[in-house]
Amino acid sequence: MRPAVFLTVALLVVASLGAIVFATARSGPEEPAELVWRTDLDAAREEALRDGAPMLVVFR
Amino acid sequence: MARPPAEFREVAAEYIPVRVTDMADVDLNVYRFDYDLTFVALLMHPDGTIYHTFGGRDWTGPASYLPMESLVDLLRRTLVEHAAYQRNPAPPPAQEPRTVQQIPTMAKRLAAGERVDCFHCHTVHDAQVASRRQEGIWSREDAFVWPDPIQLGWTLDRLDQDRLVAVNEPSPAHAAGLEPGDRLIALNGIQVVTFGDVQRVLHEADAGEIELEVRFLRKGDGRTARLLLPAGWKTPTPEVFSWRAIKWNLSPRPGFGGNQLSGKELRALGLEPDRFAFRVTYLVTWGEHADSGRNARRAGIRKGDIVLSVAGNHDFDSVSEYHAWFRMTRTTGETVPVELLRDGKKLSVELPVVD
């Protein structure tokens, strides 16, 4: 392989790797979704019963 | 509400999250908690079973037992408990719903056309007190709701809220052999993980002389002890009671209050900078307790006066503690000296204590 071709391929490989690392760093770990706070207690109970989920009821 | 951190959102997403800012129509037979609090979280099954209560506080501050790390840990461990409960559910007996609007004195006010835009949590306590008073079954001890765990003689860690960090001597906890570092498992057979869990067991226990069984871990070993609680064990010190809104329902009332002086203000008045004193900023001359303010005025107390002591006592950490102390320790019919500073001169007035 000629030195010029080798250098071009090497540069392309380094640039691609750099782009992948940069993109990964920017996206970071996946953020959990925003919570959807319910305000109707009775409806929330029905929903929790249906889904078999526990309830977190915050009074403030 | 400020945006909660990611670790909270991640685990809370496994729950149906509900936010309640108005107690109207809330079933008090299901959602039982300390209504003096400004924040409480119930982790529960939708059948009404409360797994855990998060959000108690002590007299040192509203956020004293509210660290986010504790809530996140609690949410995680409760998911495991919920999965186990789902396999073997034991719903509490069904009860007729009971709301704040149905408490007799509140029902009467509403029927008379009073408009209430928002029922705050403390409104529930106030309405309950007013109703018991009207029925003639109110006693001062009824105010001592959701006892602070310190009533047993132990202090819980703020992060690991099932771990004892201090045991007072003498106290029921000390007599039962509990030590700092012990980790609570259950009180009277009920699993306790948080400050609020302990308060729930204490709230539902009798105020008379009783025994409480406590199961705990010491260096990994499971142990059991019995706490012997004397009659009146729920009665707190004025300091412990001072933060509670329910204290305003107690009488006798001094009829005046104000703002605690800072060290700088005390120094400027020629007083020791670390002592307690407050400036009278109001006399209660309005509402149903206006008599108490008029009584204080007749005794010679004026707005702007600096209160140095009441009945010789100035050992308070806050004006709230002074209010709690007056209501818990003074007796209607007695006369208490109030030491004042007015225009740079000390004077003493005699305050008749009225109901």
Side-chain angles (χ1 to χ4, degrees):
Chain A
M1 193 183 285
R2 290 181 187 171
V5 174
F6 175 79
L7 197 64
T8 305
V9 170
L11 275 173
L12 279 171
V13 169
V14 169
S16 302
L17 282 173
I20 289 166
V21 169
F22 182 68
T24 308
R26 268 177 64 91
S27 63
E30 196 177 325
E31 272 276 299
E34 291 299 329
L35 286 177
V36 181
W37 289 93
R38 281 63 159 178
T39 52
D40 183 330
L41 258 175
D42 291 336
R45 274 182 94 170
E46 292 296 324
E47 188 183 351
L49 277 173
R50 187 193 66 214
D51 296 353
M55 296 171 73
L56 169 63
V57 189
V58 170
F59 294 87
R60 60 175 300 140
Chain B
M1 187 186 281
R3 189 175 189 237
E7 62 267 28
F8 168 79
R9 283 180 281 137
E10 193 177 352
V11 66
E14 302 294 322
Y15 290 72
I16 301 295
V18 194
R19 185 160 56 208
V20 182
T21 54
D22 188 340
M23 290 301 288
D25 301 324
V26 171
D27 186 350
L28 305 178
N29 281 332
V30 174
Y31 304 98
R32 304 179 314 278
F33 59 94
D34 185 346
Y35 302 117
D36 271 344
L37 294 172
T38 52
F39 176 98
V40 70
L42 300 180
L43 284 69
M44 59 190 294
H45 189 279
D47 71 6
T49 299
I50 294 172
Y51 297 129
H52 296 294
T53 303
F54 183 82
R57 59 161 287 179
D58 66 12
W59 65 97
T60 61
S64 43
Y65 281 88
L66 284 182
M68 179 55 80
E69 307 96 291
S70 297
L71 178 56
V72 171
D73 282 348
L74 185 67
L75 287 165
R76 286 185 185 132
R77 71 183 286 172
T78 305
L79 284 177
V80 179
E81 289 174 33
H82 176 69
Y85 181 88
Q86 288 280 73
R87 290 191 291 276
N88 190 19
Q95 284 181 284
E96 277 295 306
R98 187 174 58 96
T99 66
V100 63
Q101 296 104 307
Q102 291 172 324
I103 298 174
T105 48
M106 184 57 74
K108 206 170 160 185
R109 284 166 57 186
L110 295 172
E114 184 175 330
R115 194 180 151 188
V116 180
D117 291 328
C118 177
F119 289 93
H120 299 286
C121 292
H122 70 83
T123 314
V124 179
H125 270 164
D126 294 343
Q128 287 169 335
V129 169
S131 285
R132 290 181 70 82
R133 273 216 169 103
Q134 208 164 63
E135 290 169 41
I137 52 172
W138 160 262
S139 75
R140 180 177 287 206
E141 285 65 36
D142 290 333
F144 305 143
V145 291
W146 295 84
D148 190 300
I150 197 74
Q151 296 305 117
L152 306 180
W154 66 42
T155 303
L156 299 175
D157 187 62
R158 295 179 193 281
L159 271 176
D160 293 329
Q161 296 183 8
D162 54 358
R163 194 168 63 84
L164 310 190
V165 288
V167 175
N168 293 345
E169 193 179 342
S171 72
H174 185 263
L178 275 294
E179 295 176 1
D182 289 344
R183 198 173 277 277
L184 301 176
I185 300 171
L187 259 182
N188 260 9
I190 297 166
Q191 187 195 19
V192 290
V193 177
T194 66
F195 186 92
D197 287 346
V198 174
Q199 282 187 297
R200 183 177 295 280
V201 176
L202 301 186
H203 179 69
E204 287 169 6
D206 195 278
E209 185 181 311
I210 56 164
E211 275 188 29
L212 275 185
E213 184 197 78
V214 54
R215 282 195 292 125
F216 61 101
L217 285 175
R218 179 173 296 162
K219 295 174 183 163
D221 288 339
R223 298 186 181 208
T224 301
R226 300 195 78 75
L227 298 166
L228 307 178
L229 306 179
W233 63 272
K234 289 191 182 185
T235 303
T237 64
E239 182 184 36
V240 169
F241 190 63
S242 59
W243 67 271
R244 287 188 169 277
I246 201 172
K247 73 174 177 291
W248 302 114
N249 290 291
L250 293 183
S251 61
R253 300 171 170 82
F256 61 97
N259 299 332
Q260 187 172 354
L261 298 185
S262 66
K264 194 175 164 188
E265 289 171 308
L266 289 163
R267 216 176 280 116
L269 290 165
L271 300 168
E272 294 162 29
D274 55 353
R275 64 156 292 152
F276 174 85
F278 70 93
R279 177 174 284 108
V280 177
T281 57
Y282 67 88
L283 287 96
V284 183
T285 51
W286 65 89
E288 55 184 322
H289 305 303
D291 278 353
S292 64
R294 285 195 283 268
N295 175 62
R297 180 179 288 162
R298 275 195 300 272
I301 295 166
R302 303 279 178 266
K303 269 171 78 170
D305 285 346
I306 307 296
V307 177
L308 299 174
S309 70
V310 179
N313 192 3
H314 57 83
D315 184 22
F316 305 116
D317 283 334
S318 64
V319 176
S320 289
E321 187 184 341
Y322 142 76
H323 279 294
W325 168 84
F326 195 96
R327 287 160 170 78
M328 291 173 74
T329 64
R330 298 302 93 193
T331 309
T332 303
E334 70 170 319
T335 299
V336 294
V338 181
E339 194 187 10
L340 302 169
L341 189 65
R342 183 184 295 161
D343 301 327
K345 290 180 186 159
K346 281 188 183 177
L347 66 148
S348 184
V349 302
E350 296 292 316
L351 177 73
V353 178
V354 295
D355 200 358

